[in-house]
Amino acid sequence: MTDTTRKQAAPCGAWTSPITAATVAAGATPLSQVLSDGGEVYWLAGRASEGGRNTLMRLRDGRTEELTPAPFNVRTRVHEYGGGATLVADSHIWFSNFADNRIYRIDRHGADEPVPVSEGGDKRWADFVLDRAHRRLVGVREDHSAGGTYPVNTLCALGADGTETVLVDGNDFYSSPRISPDGRHIAWLCWDNPHMPWQGTELWLAEIGADGTLLDGRLVAGGAEEAIVQPEWSPDGTLHFVSDRSGWWNLYRYTHGVVHPVCRRAAEFGGPHWTFGNSMYGFRSATEIVCTYIEDGVSRLARIDTGCGKLAAIETPYQEIRELRVAGDTVALLGGAPTLAAEVAQIDLDTGQRDVLARSIEQLPDVGYLSVPESIRYPSENGRVAYAFYYPPTNKDYAPQPGELPPLMVIGHGGPTGMAASTLKLATQFWTSRGIAVLDVNYGGSSGFGRAYRDLLKGQWGVIDVEDCVAGAQHLVDRDLVDRERLVIRGGSAGGLTTLCALAFHDVFKAGASYYGVSDLKGLDADSHKFESHYNEYLIAPKASADRVYAERSPINHTDKLHRPMIFFQGLDDKVVPPPQSEVMVCALRARGVPVAYVTLDGEGHGFRKADSIVRTLEAELYFYLRVFGIPVPTSLPAVEIENLPA
């Protein structure tokens, strides 16, 4: 039995930890898309051991059931990021299958095999709802069969006989079709390039005719400078939605042709539409809303009296609530906290009783190996304030050697309109339990802090985000918490660009890791899919001046300024940031004699889902840092080829 009364002094980074790469890969089950219907709760669970397959789960009579056995993969690639891949309504369940893009139906009360109800192929579906009056689904259809540069997106109906009928077209993007309780009206969101949905969207409303066509379509709210998310109907047929017209994503309702605020607060009751099917509020009754909102990067659960707009807290242990569904007197949600991995839970709104239905990690490590983050605010460039979560090194068996300060890993999240949260992640604890501090940065441009903070990144991607990461590292150095000579930065996708720019244009970080990161902004434009095809016009510059700014800001054009060791990870099936984005950087560093490693993964796209991929990348990154900083490398750790690094 380990004697925990005295800790062994050992080099930071070389501490032995029970949180291995295999633990990270096997221990975390991705959970998403919580649904509640007829007193039953459903959710999607990712299976890393099955190639990242998503399967639909249900709790019934105290037992957890899997409803979509292999090889079915409940996932859609509409907008490439997907979401909204399943629907539970009345006596059936519908879901989109990733392999063939077909929608399948199963009887929710029986054990029948899934039956295909759509054509699939080049037509992808997401975010479908049931139109009971016309015995059809209505959803977002993304048609890749036309052969143009980009697919055609529409709101489309899918009849019981498989007939597809376009209901609304002409806009570049659609989402969130929602049918009123009496079945007579439908609301939806749409937007057009060059806008992203968190910049400007429109909320439309129409009547559903007797023959199923839409009549009297009219604009309810939104425009080029107003971002709307999650339209929903209250039980009495009042249309509600979340808008950032005040500078914060707050709740509104539409009655008698007029938009009224429901609850005014400097907080976020919605989030950026990266994926379909997100939900941050629901109705307990026509006069009571149960919601989650974000203040200073922390989620809270509350109820709103729609008559007076009063917000009343509901106590939970969660600091991140990603989505929720309200059904009667219960709410089902996906939540997490610093010592609580993401879990699906059901809360009784009358008694407060919380029942956990599924955990992303069934067996948590001993709390003595878990680092609890500190939420910090710190000064950045030009008087700005930035936000982050600081995780100190934590291991009940080890302490730094006398006089030693730990290395620091700075993480820039993806998106870049994303958000770092404090929910327990084994991938973070993998580093902290080995003696490496972590700073997870919510740089300017992150969601969760209001529109003004989100818009800081307008025209400044590769600048503001980088400055805030650099300032965060310097802040911890100034507090004597970390070793200024062992600062590393890592990031994926947009965070990969942050990593590359930090290493090219600043001399603070001593090494870096890029996971499918952007290196060539012009190349990203050329290769990008429809959803993000104009994103750089907002993040970087309008097309008229883009070439100059792209050249100034793309790390591939500044490899002469890169002299710190780097490791690159790239999925070979990535359509969002294709492999050439990494390959050109690797070749440039190799030619210049800079230490570099390149790890490619077959069968992986934008984000790694397979268990062996997770193990391989984590172990490779750890090996890389240990070698670069001269920290003893365990013999059990697989070696990675690092070019230009002396033995």
Side-chain angles (χ1 to χ4, degrees), residues 79 81 173 190-202 223-229 244 249 272-274 415-417 451 454 528-539:
H79 295 177
Y81 293 100
F173 303 99
C190 60
W191 65 97
D192 292 300
N193 282 323
H195 295 103
M196 298 299 286
W198 47 87
Q199 296 163 24
T201 52
E202 295 179 346
E225 300 298 326
E226 180 182 2
I228 297 174
V229 295
D244 69 352
W249 264 316
H273 178 102
W274 280 104
T417 312
R451 176 139 190 170
R454 201 165 70 241
S528 186
H529 54 108
K530 181 181 178 182
F531 181 64
E532 294 184 278
S533 59
H534 292 262
Y535 195 14
N536 282 346
E537 294 179 36
Y538 170 86
L539 292 171

Side-chain angles (χ1 to χ4, degrees), residues 265-317:
R265 194 176 181 93
E268 300 280 67
F269 291 78
H273 178 102
W274 280 104
T275 57
F276 293 94
N278 301 312
S279 175
M280 289 182 65
Y281 74 95
F283 296 91
R284 187 181 188 187
S285 69
T287 59
E288 184 178 337
I289 292 173
V290 179
C291 65
T292 179
Y293 63 94
I294 302 169
E295 281 185 329
D296 292 332
V298 175
S299 296
R300 295 171 173 85
L301 189 67
R303 66 186 89 219
I304 301 173
D305 182 328
T306 61
C308 62
K310 182 180 179 182
L311 189 74
I314 300 173
E315 292 300 319
T316 77

Side-chain angles (χ1 to χ4, degrees), residues 4 31 38 46 85 91 116 126 167 189 210 249 271 312 327 414 461 515 523 570 591-592 596 626:
T4 58
L31 302 173
S91 59
L167 300 178
L189 298 177
W249 264 316
W461 187 28
Y515 281 73
Q570 181 68 51
R592 292 191 59 251
V596 63
L626 296 181

